[in-house]
């Protein structure tokens, strides 16, 4: 397998006024400690001023897998930090981790183990890694690893760690394609999942695990490529009466040339000392209509990058026949036409895919409603039930039209050997069924 080698930094040409790769000499870095890693990016450090209540609440119960913990990255607001509300939840009875043997059996009972081709023997051989990753996640989320609730154990050992192990394997396969001494571009892993299902926190946890194991990673959301406020206004004017394009969200509301420039630059971040700022979007600007955040607030990543974690609710959607989308909603015809340009702008950069499947798109409404209700109860600004209904209604037509093909065929350009399809329930936990 090829390995990263030391290169003499060279000057890179800026691809965009706000995308600059610098090649200043950088000191050799050791593995990040938890505290330093958390403050490396605004999107990570902000988690420690918030809580995980609604992202991982048990359906109908209002309780969370992460109890009394000030962690939450709300992708619906903020700039790089995307801060969310603080609110309390009731504590559940802790389930003490009695022994490594018990934990081994718990790991092997997870729904993703067989899907990933992991036998009990393979898990046993790497159990030290699983324990290490679990310990680090407990520190990240400020939990006592000896007294985890069952939902907390499941979230770590049935979901986050198996996905991380799968990502590590994909990175190894990617690196093996290059000869010794060759520069290895970072593997771009796409996460396609509906809003509210927990993909942002999953990506956050994976990013942390990569960093504490000494590998540079970058996180991006399709939200970071929304049109500027001026561009959104032009889009509304060009599509009068089309509610699906009135606000940001659907295909057509993204700056595709900007995303191509950003992703291209990231794939060239292969040398030590190279640096680049990642764009961020401020959803709170212009009364909630949003605008691209000032570049001075963008977080910075350094090379050599090992992996880019790229997440979004509509990643991998494929254009369909006009009669199909018009049957769902006539307004989708224009969105469907816009979608034709998205493969070259996004999907072709992605070499490994994680698709999170939901059983019913109406879950998106329920999850959003839970979040906004909790925000209002905590005395924070939140959408009313009617506003939530209007917000989600602008996405549901696309979910109904494109999710069936995404689930049956996979994302555009994906390969079965590099695709992990995870079905989750209303409590956002992986289940058997695919």
């Amino acid at each position: 397998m090829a390995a990263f080698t030391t290169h003499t930094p060279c000057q890179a040409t800026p691809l965009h006024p706000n995308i600059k790769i610098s090649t200043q000499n950088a000191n050799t870095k050791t593995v990040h400690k938890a505290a330093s890693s958390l403050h490396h990016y605004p999107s990570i450090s902000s988690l420690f001023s918030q809580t995980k209540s609604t992202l991982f609440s048990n359906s109908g119960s209002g309780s969370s897998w992460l109890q009394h913990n000030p962690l939450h990255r709300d992708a619906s607001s903020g700039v790089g930090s995307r801060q969310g509300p603080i609110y309390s939840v009731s504590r559940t009875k802790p389930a003490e981790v009695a022994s490594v043997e018990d934990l081994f059996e718990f790991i092997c009972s997870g729904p993703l183990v067989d899907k990933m081709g992991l036998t009990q023997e393979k898990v046993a051989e790497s159990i030290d890694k699983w324990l290490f990753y679990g310990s680090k996640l407990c520190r990240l989320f400020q939990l006592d690893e000896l007294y985890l609730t069952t939902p907390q154990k499941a979230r770590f050992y049935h979901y986050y760690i198996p996905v991380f192990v799968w990502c590590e394997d994909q990175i190894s396969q990617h690196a093996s394609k290059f000869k010794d001494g060759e520069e290895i571009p970072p593997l771009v892993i796409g996460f396609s999942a509906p809003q509210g299902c927990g993909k942002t926190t999953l990506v956050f946890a994976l990013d942390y695990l990569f960093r504490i194991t000494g590998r540079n990673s970058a996180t991006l959301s399709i939200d970071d490529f929304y049109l500027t406020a001026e561009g959104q206004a032009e889009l509304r004017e060009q599509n009068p009466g089309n509610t699906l394009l009135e606000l940001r969200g659907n295909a057509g509301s993204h700056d595709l040339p900007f995303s191509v420039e950003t992703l291209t630059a990231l794939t060239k971040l292969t040398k030590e000392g190279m640096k680049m700022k990642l764009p961020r979007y401020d959803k709170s600007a212009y009364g909630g209509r949003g605008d691209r955040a000032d570049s001075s607030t963008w977080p910075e990543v350094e090379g050599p990058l090992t992996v880019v974690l790229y997440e979004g609710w509509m990643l991998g959607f494929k254009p369909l026949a006009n009669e199909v989308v018009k049957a769902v909603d006539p307004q989708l015809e224009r969105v469907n036409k816009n979608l034709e340009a998205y493969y070259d702008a996004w999907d072709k950069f992605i070499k490994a895919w994680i698709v999170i499947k939901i059983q019913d798109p109406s879950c998106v409404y329920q999850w959003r409603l839970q979040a906004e209700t909790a925000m209002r109860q905590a005395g924070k600004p939140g959408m009313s039930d009617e506003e939530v209904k209007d917000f989600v209604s602008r996405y549901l037509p696309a979910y109904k039209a494109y999710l069936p093909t995404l689930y049956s065929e996979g994302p555009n350009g994906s390969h079965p050997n590099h695709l992990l399809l995870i079905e989750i329930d209303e409590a956002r936990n992986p289940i058997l069924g695919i």
Side-chain angles (χ1 to χ4, degrees):
M1 181 185 303
F4 285 115
T5 56
T6 302
H7 298 271
T8 302
C10 61
Q11 185 63 40
T13 303
L15 296 173
H16 186 277
N18 287 328
I19 302 176
K20 298 181 176 64
I21 301 178
S22 64
T23 54
Q24 300 172 356
N25 291 329
N27 295 327
T28 302
K29 293 179 173 60
T30 57
V31 175
H32 291 201
K33 293 182 179 179
S36 62
S37 178
L38 289 170
H39 293 286
H40 192 76
Y41 287 98
S43 61
I44 297 177
S45 61
S46 68
L47 286 159
F48 283 82
S49 64
Q50 303 157 61
T51 185
K52 289 282 186 200
S53 189
T54 59
L55 280 180
F56 301 102
S57 60
N58 291 327
S59 180
S61 68
S63 62
S64 170
W65 72 276
L66 191 54
Q67 303 293 340
H68 293 289
N69 193 42
L71 300 169
H72 174 48
R73 180 177 183 233
D74 183 1
S76 67
S77 62
V79 187
S81 59
R82 296 166 184 161
Q83 295 189 358
I86 296 177
Y87 39 94
S88 62
V89 290
S90 59
R91 183 178 295 276
T92 60
K93 182 180 179 181
E96 183 174 359
V97 178
S99 67
V100 174
E101 289 77 12
D102 289 344
L103 188 56
F104 169 75
E105 292 181 1
F106 184 80
I107 291 170
C108 292
S109 70
L112 297 183
V113 171
D114 289 338
K115 174 180 284 292
M116 295 167 52
L118 291 177
T119 63
Q120 289 192 358
E121 290 74 20
K122 289 182 179 179
V123 174
E125 290 171 0
S126 60
I127 191 64
D128 287 346
K129 279 190 174 183
W130 288 74
L131 295 174
F132 174 76
Y133 298 152
S135 175
K136 292 301 182 182
L137 288 176
C138 286
R139 290 189 182 187
L140 173 65
F141 292 108
Q142 298 181 345
L143 297 172
D144 187 337
E145 60 188 293
L146 296 180
Y147 291 92
L148 296 176
T149 65
T150 299
Q152 289 165 355
K153 285 173 59 181
R155 189 52 53 105
F156 291 166
Y157 294 103
H158 286 177
Y159 196 2
Y160 291 175
I161 297 175
V163 170
F164 182 68
V165 170
W166 184 86
C167 290
E168 286 190 308
D169 180 64
Q170 292 296 309
I171 290 171
S172 295
Q173 292 184 46
H174 172 69
S176 68
K177 298 175 183 177
F178 298 86
K179 297 178 181 179
D180 289 338
E182 285 186 328
E183 292 182 8
I184 305 176
L187 175 66
V188 181
I189 302 178
F191 296 76
S192 182
Q195 297 121 315
C197 73
K199 64 181 177 299
T200 302
T201 306
L202 169 63
V203 167
F204 161 72
L206 298 176
D207 178 63
Y208 174 76
L209 289 175
F210 278 119
R211 293 188 178 283
I212 58 97
T213 52
R215 289 165 287 187
N216 290 339
S217 62
T219 63
L220 278 175
S221 167
I222 64 173
D223 297 355
D224 299 322
F225 298 126
Y226 279 135
L227 295 169
T228 62
E230 181 180 357
Q232 290 177 43
E234 293 175 357
L235 182 67
R236 284 193 295 273
E237 293 175 0
Q238 294 167 0
N239 298 273
N242 191 327
T243 60
L244 302 183
L245 295 173
E246 183 179 359
L247 302 173
R248 66 178 185 268
N250 283 288
S253 64
H254 302 89
D255 188 337
L256 298 187
F258 181 49
S259 65
V260 170
E261 291 169 358
T262 303
L263 291 166
T264 300
L266 278 173
T267 60
K268 295 179 179 179
L269 209 65
T270 58
K271 297 183 177 69
E272 185 175 353
M274 301 177 73
K275 299 179 180 180
M276 173 180 164
K277 283 192 169 186
L278 299 176
R280 290 295 183 255
Y281 190 83
D282 183 358
K283 296 182 179 180
S284 66
Y286 291 94
R289 287 189 178 270
D291 195 8
R292 186 167 302 151
D294 188 274
S295 59
S296 64
T297 68
W298 297 0
E300 187 177 72
V301 290
E302 299 183 15
L305 275 185
T306 298
V307 63
V308 177
L309 308 175
Y310 186 28
E311 54 102 344
W313 72 275
M314 54 169 284
L315 274 181
F317 282 10
K318 301 176 183 178
L320 302 173
N322 276 338
E323 56 268 23
V324 174
V325 296
K326 288 173 68 176
V328 175
D329 188 328
Q331 297 180 108
L332 267 180
E333 186 173 10
R334 180 58 185 171
V335 173
N336 192 59
K337 180 65 176 177
N338 294 336
L339 193 57
E340 294 176 0
Y342 276 65
Y343 173 79
D344 287 333
W346 292 355
D347 298 348
K348 76 174 184 180
F349 290 92
I350 299 171
K351 305 305 179 184
W353 286 88
I354 293 175
V355 175
I356 300 176
K357 178 181 179 180
I358 58 174
Q359 298 166 311
D360 185 350
S362 64
C363 289
V364 175
Y365 171 74
Q366 294 300 327
W367 290 332
R368 188 74 194 189
L369 192 62
Q370 289 174 4
E372 298 298 330
T373 300
M375 289 174 67
R376 296 198 304 270
Q377 291 174 347
K380 303 292 181 180
M383 289 189 287
S384 67
D385 291 1
E386 285 301 315
E387 288 172 329
V388 171
K389 184 177 181 180
D390 176 69
F391 176 83
V392 175
S393 70
R394 301 172 190 271
Y395 296 88
L396 283 179
Y399 284 136
K400 293 177 179 178
Y402 300 113
L403 285 183
T405 302
L406 178 71
Y407 296 156
S408 63
E409 300 179 3
N412 210 348
S414 63
H415 188 282
N417 292 342
H418 306 292
L419 169 63
L420 180 62
L421 191 61
I422 304 171
E423 185 170 357
I424 63 172
D425 58 20
E426 291 185 1
R428 308 170 180 86
N429 294 315
I431 59 175
L432 295 172
I434 299 179

